[in-house]
Amino acid sequence: MSDVLVETRSVTRKFGGLVAVDQVDFQVRRGQTKALIGPNGAGKTTLLNLLSGLLPASSGDILIRGRSVVRCAAHEIAGLGLARTFQNVQLFENMTVKENVMVGCHPWSRQGIASGALRWIGHWREEKLIEEEAERQLDFVGLSDLADFPAHSLPFGKQRMLEIARALASRPQVLLLDEPASGLSTRETSELASLLRQISARGITILLVDHDMQFVMDISDEVVVLDQGKKIAEGTPDEVQSNPRVIAAYLGVEAK
Amino acid sequence: MKDSERRGTHTEKAIPVRKKNLQLLNILPFAVFLACYAFAPRVVNDAQLTTIIYIGIYALLAVGLNLLMGYAGQVSLGHAAFFGVGAYTSGILTAKPIANEVIPGVSAGVGVISAVAALLLLTKPSGWKLAVGISLLVALGWLHNLPNLIPVLCAACAVAVMGIFGLMAKLQWMRTCLSGVVLTLVANLSKWFLKGTLERGSASPWTGLLVGVFLTAVISYLIGSQVLRLKGHYLAMATLAFGIIVEIVFRQWTSVTGGSSDGIFNIPSIQFFSYIPGFLRRLYEAAAGGSVDLRTQYYYLVWAFVFIAIVLAVNIVRSRVGRAFRAVHSSEQAAASLGVDTARYKVQVFVLSACMASVAGTLHAHNAGIGYIHPSEFGFIVSVELVVMVVLGGMASVWGSLFGAAAIQTLKDRLLDLEKTNPEFWGLKLQGLDPIVFGAVLIVVMIVLPQGLVRGFSDGVALLWRSARRSGRQQGVN
Ligand SMILES: Nc1ncnc2c1ncn2[C@@H]1O[C@H](COP(=O)(O)OP(=O)(O)O)[C@@H](O)[C@H]1O
Ligand SMILES: [Mg+2]
């Protein structure tokens, strides 16, 4: 049990009458790359929002590293080592590329407002660490030369990469990615796949949502399928692909 | 896919924000500022100096408000209220006599409050532990009140009792001890501070400054922690309502604030030359070219505060917490998902900017040769003026606020001059033009210079320079 990093126990989220996530149970084990798939409106984004604390659950329980986090605020969950990206990229547009990644260093840095205002020694020391980490992550996703440009000036594909770099800067144990390949070209998608493999090789657990079946089947060890808020299948990519319920609910729609 | 086309602006066109080797550019403005600061009294006349003092006071306000609005993205339409709290606290304390008897009580009270704050910060007591801790501190504060007990005994008592309490209640005893130390220290410090006021008959402006800031911090914390949960228009409305309520209090609480007919007058000025070491005084005199009169002294004081505020603001903006502020502005969701406690930082920047407004209020109240405050100086229209200053100077531009304040204050002076000539326009008497003109300025700036004066200007120059260089390069190729 100790290697279960993220676990949901019949977690449910309702929006008025609509049950967006319906009694979902699943686990993500340490070191895994797990995919969450399902047709549009299946509740994938909502589930990620529940996991990262941006939405409160209506009922059920969520455990991260064995601790119940249903009553935790998003920033506390981030402090437990969970980082994420967004389906509609949410960069800090008024900041530079590098500053975006530096914000990512927030969970493991400590200096408060007084230290920053008065430039205490702790500020300089920590600022150096933060800059180094930001440069490392920018280098990793290949954005080093754009470090001083405003984030909004990047082309879309690079914005997605920046968002991943920013999440990595928080030194997460689990990385949640909401449709990281959507809007990317074929070449960018294959670059992303190799990037995700490297992230996984660093020992970071990944939970990703995507529509691109080829991409998902390529990089994930396990797949969970949601349909209309319910979990309808779970298993290896091959198992899931041959599951008749999945074909009916999801692949049928896609393949038409 | 459409999205990617829209966002795919070309990086080549964008301007990199700040290169490493341009660190000099960060220091340069401060050098220019200090030079102007030192030598301005040589070149301006008395009336201009008065205007410059006002510009300094409003610059202080605008820099603070810019941290809140421009950087953290939280609108406030009631900022003049904190300006007023600072001004009135200081005015009331310094212009009215203080009775001898209140001194021990006040110092004990201040001590208890600080000690409770320390207790809360240092430990995480809950329920009955908190109740016991606070009542112990109140009792110990009363002990400090007794005139014939020696201070050493009081101190020992406070520390010992708090330590034992910490041990018994299974809080960390060292930390509860510390709150006893805080109690002793603060109570004695404030007693010593208040003693000085007796000789003068009323509190010193510095006491007024500190008490004003403290009061403002408490009020803005209480207001901010509730109001900042709102967003956009709702936040604007809530702060607006708060500002109006405070103005009404200034107008109606006649026994304390003098109401709207009297205001508070005879507020003493601050002669800060008597507090600074001799070599500094000689430095100032050398800069000003001769002996420094009260007005010039006050100018130096106000702008010293402006300088400190700008340094602090610039430092904060380029620090971990400053980045968190800007992140909150851009996307609260993304910020929270990266571990930024958005609620806490919003309250923090709100309190900080309110405290800066309070300092500006104190400086306004003690303005040399004026020493008079009136509720209309802290009303809704002033809050709007402040917003216009920030927008005109440029959101998220510390130096811009300075220029915004200068521009608006100059404009206000011109309007006042104009009104003195009793202008008429087709039989319509033009009086009380400020709101109309400020509204127009706001609209024009939003349309023409959405980045504000400074950023708009510097971007324009950068663009010109780069296009000039490019055409030069092309000529070289040909
Ligand atoms: N904030 C919200 N308020 C109301 N309904 C929502 C909200 N967010 C999502 N929904 C609904 O919940 C369902 C699941 O949405 P979502 O999680 O975004 O699906 P997916 O990411 O799988 O495409 C959809 O029917 C959507 O309309
Ligand atoms: Mg989605």
Side-chain angles (χ1 to χ4, degrees):
Chain A
M1 277 306 283
S2 68
D3 67 339
V4 175
L5 218 48
V6 179
E7 182 177 2
T8 67
R9 293 187 181 154
S10 52
V11 68
T12 300
R13 171 70 206 198
K14 297 179 186 145
F15 292 111
L18 178 87
V19 187
V21 173
D22 194 358
Q23 307 258 340
V24 171
D25 286 283
F26 81 109
Q27 298 182 340
V28 184
R29 285 191 305 282
R30 192 179 288 277
Q32 232 181 359
T33 297
K34 194 150 186 165
L36 187 61
I37 64 172
N40 259 327
K44 305 180 297 288
T45 299
T46 307
L47 186 53
L48 289 199
N49 285 343
L50 293 174
L51 291 177
S52 55
L54 292 178
L55 273 178
S58 305
S59 64
D61 203 1
I62 299 170
L63 292 101
I64 292 174
R65 290 160 65 188
R67 284 174 54 180
S68 169
V69 295
V70 273
R71 263 172 216 88
C72 287
H75 68 269
E76 291 166 327
I77 294 178
L80 286 176
L82 183 138
R84 66 168 293 173
T85 67
F86 294 85
Q87 184 172 351
N88 49 340
V89 180
Q90 291 201 22
L91 292 177
F92 306 126
E93 306 219 329
N94 51 354
M95 297 163 78
T96 66
V97 168
K98 188 167 160 191
E99 282 173 330
N100 265 271
V101 187
M102 287 166 87
V103 174
C105 301
H106 208 87
W108 53 264
S109 48
R110 286 288 162 268
Q111 298 299 315
I113 190 165
S115 147
L118 303 173
R119 291 289 194 255
W120 286 344
I121 301 172
H123 165 83
W124 296 113
R125 204 179 293 147
E126 197 174 84
E127 202 71 356
K128 195 156 151 273
L129 292 180
I130 291 175
E131 269 195 51
E132 281 168 7
E133 177 77 28
E135 275 156 18
R136 194 162 33 228
Q137 300 303 346
L138 281 177
D139 201 39
F140 178 63
V141 301
L143 287 177
S144 302
D145 2 325
L146 301 175
D148 290 322
F149 284 85
H152 63 79
S153 70
L154 294 189
F156 187 67
K158 297 219 158 86
Q159 295 197 3
R160 281 225 181 276
M161 290 301 170
L162 174 55
E163 216 186 13
I164 292 174
R166 188 179 70 181
L168 285 175
S170 71
R171 299 178 181 165
Q173 304 195 6
V174 205
L175 183 61
L176 311 188
L177 302 165
D178 199 350
E179 309 207 7
S182 85
L184 296 192
S185 68
T186 328
R187 193 172 58 87
E188 284 171 329
T189 306
S190 67
E191 276 171 14
L192 176 69
S194 83
L195 197 74
L196 293 188
R197 278 196 206 94
Q198 287 176 55
I199 293 172
S200 183
R202 280 200 211 169
I204 295 174
T205 309
I206 298 175
L207 175 64
L208 90 157
V209 168
D210 216 288
H211 270 304
D212 187 335
M213 287 304 283
Q214 186 55 46
F215 173 71
V216 165
M217 298 304 167
D218 221 27
I219 60 170
S220 45
D221 311 323
E222 251 183 21
V223 180
V224 179
V225 189
L226 283 189
D227 185 29
Q228 295 180 0
K230 290 197 177 67
K231 181 173 101 174
I232 57 169
E234 184 170 9
T236 64
D238 290 336
E239 284 167 18
V240 167
Q241 260 175 322
S242 54
N243 185 322
R245 283 183 74 185
V246 177
I247 294 168
Y250 182 76
L251 297 177
V253 179
E254 276 286 293
K256 73 168 170 237
Chain B
M1 284 275 62
K2 212 185 270 167
D3 209 29
S4 77
E5 278 161 24
R6 184 175 56 74
R7 283 173 181 251
T9 39
H10 298 290
T11 326
E12 301 88 65
K13 270 192 203 154
I15 307 165
V17 171
R18 186 161 43 94
K19 287 262 171 63
K20 262 215 186 99
N21 52 5
L22 290 182
Q23 288 290 338
L24 187 67
L25 270 186
N26 299 336
I27 308 214
L28 197 64
F30 288 104
V32 174
F33 181 98
L34 282 180
C36 294
Y37 170 70
F39 299 115
R42 281 176 189 252
V43 289
V44 299
N45 62 32
D46 244 19
Q48 286 166 330
L49 200 63
T50 306
T51 307
I52 293 178
I53 289 176
Y54 274 117
I55 292 177
I57 291 169
Y58 284 104
L60 209 49
L61 283 159
V63 168
L65 185 59
N66 207 341
L67 283 178
L68 178 69
M69 258 179 59
Y71 288 96
Q74 309 299 311
V75 184
S76 170
L77 286 180
H79 217 58
F82 300 118
F83 184 39
V85 171
Y88 270 96
T89 310
S90 203
I92 292 165
L93 285 177
T94 54
K96 301 194 170 177
I98 288 185
N100 205 338
E101 298 79 54
V102 303
I103 286 186
V106 169
S107 45
V110 173
V112 169
I113 292 172
S114 330
V116 168
L119 189 70
L120 286 176
L121 285 177
L122 292 170
T123 62
K124 286 204 171 110
S126 56
W128 67 271
K129 288 183 193 172
L130 190 62
V132 173
I134 292 177
S135 35
L136 271 179
L137 285 169
V138 171
L140 292 166
W142 172 77
L143 202 66
H144 278 275
N145 223 339
L146 296 179
N148 43 8
L149 268 184
I150 44 172
V152 184
L153 200 65
C154 291
C157 215
V159 177
V161 169
M162 288 314 288
I164 293 169
F165 160 68
L167 210 60
M168 304 228 308
K170 294 209 175 89
L171 299 167
Q172 281 147 305
W173 65 271
M174 292 232 291
R175 297 185 164 190
T176 49
C177 263
L178 211 55
S179 67
V181 175
V182 169
L183 172 76
T184 308
L185 266 179
V186 175
N188 281 310
L189 258 178
S190 59
K191 202 186 285 180
W192 177 70
F193 229 96
L194 286 166
K195 277 254 175 63
T197 71
L198 274 186
E199 285 143 31
R200 216 173 295 107
S202 60
S204 109
W206 303 109
T207 314
L209 182 86
L210 290 179
V211 175
V213 167
F214 179 76
L215 210 62
T216 307
V218 172
I219 294 175
S220 60
Y221 178 80
L222 294 177
I223 296 289
S225 53
Q226 300 307 311
V227 151
L228 288 167
R229 293 182 196 156
L230 304 171
K231 297 207 164 69
H233 305 309
Y234 298 100
L235 177 61
M237 295 311 285
T239 50
L240 173 73
F242 167 71
I244 290 175
I245 291 170
V246 171
E247 193 198 348
I248 291 175
V249 171
F250 291 152
R251 282 187 190 283
Q252 302 297 329
W253 199 7
T254 322
S255 60
V256 177
T257 65
S260 49
S261 54
D262 291 348
I264 295 179
F265 42 88
N266 282 339
I267 304 171
S269 186
I270 306 175
Q271 278 167 292
F272 85 112
F273 267 35
S274 50
Y275 299 97
I276 58 175
F279 78 92
L280 255 182
R281 199 177 316 148
R282 279 190 291 283
L283 211 62
Y284 271 119
E285 279 164 359
S291 76
V292 178
D293 64 3
L294 204 62
R295 184 125 281 270
T296 314
Q297 244 189 65
Y298 205 71
Y299 154 81
Y300 277 131
L301 179 70
V302 168
W303 281 86
F305 272 101
V306 175
F307 181 72
I308 293 170
I310 289 181
V311 170
L312 293 184
V314 167
N315 282 350
I316 288 173
V317 167
R318 294 194 202 134
S319 73
R320 169 174 180 263
V321 175
R323 286 190 295 270
F325 288 162
R326 286 182 284 161
V328 168
H329 187 178
S330 237
S331 165
E332 277 193 38
Q333 283 207 328
S337 80
L338 293 167
V340 175
D341 186 347
T342 54
R344 175 160 165 255
Y345 282 121
K346 283 198 281 185
V347 173
Q348 209 170 61
V349 70
F350 191 72
V351 172
L352 176 71
S353 106
C355 287
M356 284 167 83
S358 173
V359 171
T362 298
L363 292 173
H364 180 71
H366 295 283
N367 202 344
I370 299 173
Y372 172 72
I373 51 177
H374 185 266
S376 65
E377 291 167 315
F378 313 105
F380 166 61
I381 193 71
V382 180
S383 295
V384 175
E385 256 173 55
L386 295 176
V387 172
V388 178
M389 284 175 192
V390 170
V391 174
L392 179 64
M395 300 276 264
S397 159
V398 172
W399 290 101
S401 293
L402 200 62
F403 290 97
I408 293 296
Q409 190 56 36
T410 319
L411 191 64
K412 251 170 38 180
D413 276 6
R414 289 282 154 283
L415 285 175
L416 215 61
D417 290 346
L418 187 70
E419 280 179 15
K420 277 188 195 135
T421 64
N422 279 322
E424 269 190 38
F425 189 70
W426 287 355
L428 180 71
K429 279 215 163 50
L430 296 184
Q431 292 292 327
L433 287 172
D434 298 19
I436 303 168
V437 174
F438 293 144
V441 169
L442 196 58
I443 292 171
V444 171
V445 171
M446 289 298 210
I447 294 171
V448 182
L449 276 180
Q451 300 264 49
L453 277 181
V454 171
R455 195 74 56 79
F457 183 73
S458 66
D459 275 8
V461 169
L463 214 67
L464 275 180
W465 186 66
R466 273 162 0 108
S467 67
R469 206 176 53 164
R470 193 169 303 145
S471 67
R473 208 186 289 146
Q474 272 164 5
Q475 274 166 10
V477 171
N478 289 342

